[in-house]
Amino acid sequence: HVPLRGVDVHNLQQVDVDVPLGVLTAVTGVSGSGKSSLVMDALIPQLAAGAAIPVWADGEDRAFQTVVVDQSAIGVSPASNPATYTKAFGPIRELFAATPLARQKGFGPGRFSYHVAAGRCAACEGKGQLQIEMHFLADVWVTCEVCRGRRYNQETLAVEYRGRNIAEVLAMDVDEALQFFGNHRKIVRPLQLLQDTGLGYLTLGQPANTFSGGEAQRIKLCAELQRRTMGHTIYVLDEPTTGLHADDVRRLLTVLDRLVARGDSVLVIEHHLDVIQAADHCIELGPEAGDAGGRVVASGTPEELAQVATSHTGRFLAAMQQQQPRRRRRRAGSKQEESA
């Protein structure tokens, strides 16, 4: 666990609390109760201090790193997209480079990167759009008239894989691309993660500057699931369910479970009851906002919160548990079981 002692940032009132490792932890409470202060302004800076914080589990010290998966933009230009960010684009370019026409012309994988001058549209430099500077207003992007948004020059577009050129592949949505590249594991694996998080509707080449905050956050999660981490990783998310449909919340929980299943920790600042009920551990701040908050109301499992009379969250959890018993998730080699 990560021990926090005497935290008095903003409205927090000498808070003492232990943040467990290796589980999904939800930090909850009414708006203004001190959730973000505890996590973002107290926990994260102390974790950044590294060795200054005793982080241990099972009685042993752990090397760790902290990753904040926020809703900030992935990129401010059209250069980045789901295919590049999740590393699926490299294997796709290798497939095109292996086609007979590409080999005849001497095109390597780099030819199919819109960052390489030889293969991209010279007018928009592979962006598919042109940036128009607006006086006194934010700059705008308009579709390139030369390549009509396809990013590449005609010689590159002449190369096809299974009847599709590289621009047509980038125009596919994730669901379609999964069918198209079904036998190629290096491509399918990252795309499957995008589909698993409810992003199957995104096109592979959709410019990163058009993603919503929630979409950007889930794409970052998919990228993290592919990354080989060194030591223990503590993932921190701030209200990741904002704007999500109930089915997408379920999908998100499945992805968070995968992070925990591989031995990492997930900490979410969250108000969504489905996430709180599914968490392994909850820390509720409050009981109210501002000066009337900043204290730990309860810390424990959702069932334990439901037994705390002063817990606002606990009252709703108790009602939920009466209607539908909580599904306890057994991860990584454990047997699934259901219990109240």
Side-chain angles (χ1 to χ4, degrees):
H1 66 270
V2 182
L4 295 175
R5 298 291 180 264
V7 181
D8 58 0
V9 179
H10 302 308
N11 70 324
L12 297 179
Q13 301 182 36
Q14 297 296 319
V15 166
D16 294 335
V17 68
D18 291 329
V19 180
L21 292 179
V23 297
L24 171 60
T25 299
V27 178
T28 186
V30 300
S31 179
S33 61
K35 301 185 298 296
S36 294
S37 295
L38 181 71
V39 176
M40 297 300 184
D41 299 323
L43 177 64
I44 297 300
Q46 291 196 49
L47 289 174
I53 288 292
V55 177
W56 60 276
D58 301 325
E60 297 181 0
D61 290 335
R62 287 191 179 187
F64 71 95
Q65 58 182 328
T66 306
V67 176
V68 179
V69 187
D70 58 21
Q71 297 195 7
S72 62
I74 289 175
V76 296
S77 80
S80 182
N81 56 48
T84 59
Y85 199 84
T86 60
K87 310 299 184 186
F89 198 36
I92 290 174
R93 290 188 287 112
E94 290 172 1
L95 285 180
F96 274 88
T99 61
L101 181 58
R103 295 175 66 180
Q104 176 186 334
K105 291 179 173 292
F107 293 169
R111 177 80 188 200
F112 302 95
S113 168
Y114 44 77
H115 295 297
V116 177
R120 70 190 183 189
C121 170
C124 64
E125 298 182 332
K127 295 183 178 68
Q129 302 178 43
L130 296 173
Q131 188 175 18
I132 307 300
E133 184 177 347
M134 305 291 289
H135 296 292
F136 308 112
L137 295 171
D139 293 349
V140 298
W141 292 86
V142 297
T143 302
C144 174
E145 294 182 356
V146 176
C147 68
R148 299 193 297 277
R150 293 183 295 178
R151 299 177 180 261
Y152 297 92
N153 58 35
Q154 289 301 319
E155 193 173 16
T156 304
L157 292 173
V159 178
E160 294 184 345
Y161 172 77
R162 294 184 58 194
R164 303 288 187 94
N165 64 38
I166 188 67
E168 290 170 331
V169 166
L170 287 174
M172 292 179 179
D173 62 35
V174 170
D175 292 336
E176 181 184 0
L178 276 170
Q179 297 296 321
F180 188 76
F181 293 111
N183 296 324
H184 297 277
R185 184 177 178 275
K186 289 183 179 180
I187 301 172
V188 169
R189 184 172 182 268
L191 298 185
Q192 186 65 60
L193 289 172
L194 290 173
Q195 188 183 65
D196 290 347
T197 58
L199 297 176
Y201 60 87
L202 292 181
T203 59
L204 300 189
Q206 181 173 331
N209 60 346
T210 66
F211 298 147
S212 70
E215 289 169 340
Q217 187 176 44
R218 281 181 282 166
I219 291 171
K220 291 175 186 178
L221 273 176
C222 292
E224 287 297 330
L225 278 166
Q226 295 182 82
R227 187 168 297 148
R228 292 183 179 179
T229 59
M230 299 297 292
H232 188 84
T233 302
I234 303 170
Y235 293 97
V236 179
L237 298 88
D238 190 353
E239 298 198 3
T241 63
T242 300
L244 294 190
H245 182 273
D247 185 59
D248 288 331
V249 172
R250 179 186 59 79
R251 290 171 178 261
L252 175 66
L253 281 168
T254 300
V255 172
L256 297 183
D257 272 347
R258 291 187 188 181
L259 292 171
V260 176
R262 72 182 191 184
D264 293 321
S265 303
V266 178
L267 181 70
V268 294
I269 302 171
E270 192 52 81
H271 63 277
H272 198 293
L273 283 172
D274 287 342
V275 176
I276 297 169
Q277 187 184 36
D280 302 294
H281 188 86
C282 301
I283 299 171
E284 181 178 0
L285 295 175
E288 306 300 337
D291 293 339
R295 296 184 293 274
V296 176
V297 175
S299 179
T301 66
E303 289 83 2
E304 289 170 337
L305 254 68
Q307 302 300 316
V308 178
T310 56
S311 169
H312 295 313
T313 304
R315 290 200 300 274
F316 289 102
L317 287 174
M320 289 181 68
Q321 290 164 13
Q322 287 179 357
Q323 297 174 7
Q324 182 178 5
R326 183 167 80 107
R327 177 174 176 264
R328 289 192 182 278
R329 302 179 311 287
R330 291 292 181 261
R331 309 180 179 93
S334 297
K335 184 180 179 181
Q336 289 278 82
E337 73 176 31
E338 306 282 336
S339 66

